[in-house]
Amino acid sequence: MRVQVPALPEKGKRMWSAQDVARDQVRRQANGLDVAAVAEKVAEAAVRERETAEQLRGNGSFYEFEMDRERLAAIWLAQHAEWRRVRDLMTAVGWSVYEPEQDAQGSVWARGREERFAGALAAQAAFGARQGEEADELRVEVWLSAAPGRLIRAVAYRAGLRPAQVLTQLAERIVVGEDGTVSIPPFTPSL
């Protein structure tokens, strides 16, 4: 008998892209900043983008929280682009300070991130609930010899079921006697 265990979600899957991370960070950091402060952030992001790109090529030490080099470089590239977008928006619209709620495109992206985060939390909760329900379940692959296998297939065919469904119905009807004997009362397999 071989017991099958359901596959767990893949490790290392990222919910947010580098652009999502950058947009979220910039949106929070830019709140209330004036055009000059945003321009400083653009310059800082340009320097960090260049530094991480150089470090990615192997031309420097990497000290950023044990983060994947490619991911960190992608985040700084995206942050630089997002800071430029915020600066250009403020200049074009004439804002004296950045207010995230007034940034239509940034608000659309933020709602998308929030929806994906809520969806991921719901999926995680559902996965946890399924694991709790499945804790008592047993998934088994059964290898039967020819004669019992033919019998199960014939019963399944007559009932319009798959052989595994017939075996499941058999297992659901098992009765264990006080002396440990196992029996199955007569029944007709059905959908």
Side-chain angles (χ1 to χ4, degrees):
M1 175 172 38
R2 185 175 76 179
V3 177
Q4 296 176 343
V5 179
L8 295 174
E10 290 180 40
K11 287 188 177 182
K13 272 191 135 178
R14 299 186 195 283
M15 183 177 62
W16 284 6
S17 68
Q19 289 77 18
D20 287 330
V21 171
R23 289 171 181 157
D24 181 61
Q25 288 177 350
V26 169
R27 186 173 174 84
R28 285 184 286 107
Q29 291 174 11
N31 189 19
L33 296 182
D34 62 16
V35 175
V38 170
E40 289 175 18
K41 292 290 191 177
V42 170
E44 177 188 340
V47 168
R48 296 301 300 266
E49 177 188 358
R50 187 183 66 249
E51 288 174 352
T52 55
E54 288 173 4
Q55 291 167 346
L56 185 58
R57 290 188 297 269
N59 298 335
S61 65
F62 226 81
Y63 54 87
E64 289 287 337
F65 309 110
E66 304 282 328
M67 185 179 277
D68 175 17
R69 289 176 178 223
E70 288 90 10
R71 179 132 171 102
L72 184 62
I75 289 171
W76 275 107
L77 174 69
Q79 273 197 4
H80 186 203
E82 184 62 8
W83 278 113
R84 287 191 315 259
R85 186 193 70 80
V86 168
R87 178 199 59 201
D88 296 346
L89 174 66
M90 290 178 69
T91 303
V93 178
W95 292 343
S96 56
V97 296
Y98 179 76
E99 296 179 33
E101 304 79 34
Q102 301 300 318
D103 181 353
Q105 183 61 62
S107 295
V108 167
W109 288 332
R111 277 191 301 280
R113 284 189 304 275
E114 289 168 5
E115 289 169 4
R116 285 193 307 278
F117 184 65
L121 287 178
Q124 184 179 19
F127 180 74
R130 278 192 312 275
Q131 278 189 313
E133 292 169 3
E134 292 175 354
D136 291 334
E137 291 181 6
L138 177 64
R139 295 180 186 194
V140 179
E141 187 173 324
V142 179
W143 296 90
L144 300 173
S145 61
R150 280 192 298 273
L151 182 59
I152 293 292
R153 279 193 296 278
V155 169
Y157 178 75
R158 283 194 306 264
L161 300 170
R162 294 187 326 260
Q165 292 171 307
V166 172
L167 290 172
T168 299
Q169 290 182 21
L170 281 167
E172 289 171 346
R173 289 167 172 78
I174 290 176
V175 176
V176 180
E178 289 181 21
D179 61 351
T181 58
V182 177
S183 62
I184 299 173
F187 76 100
T188 303
S190 61
L191 290 175

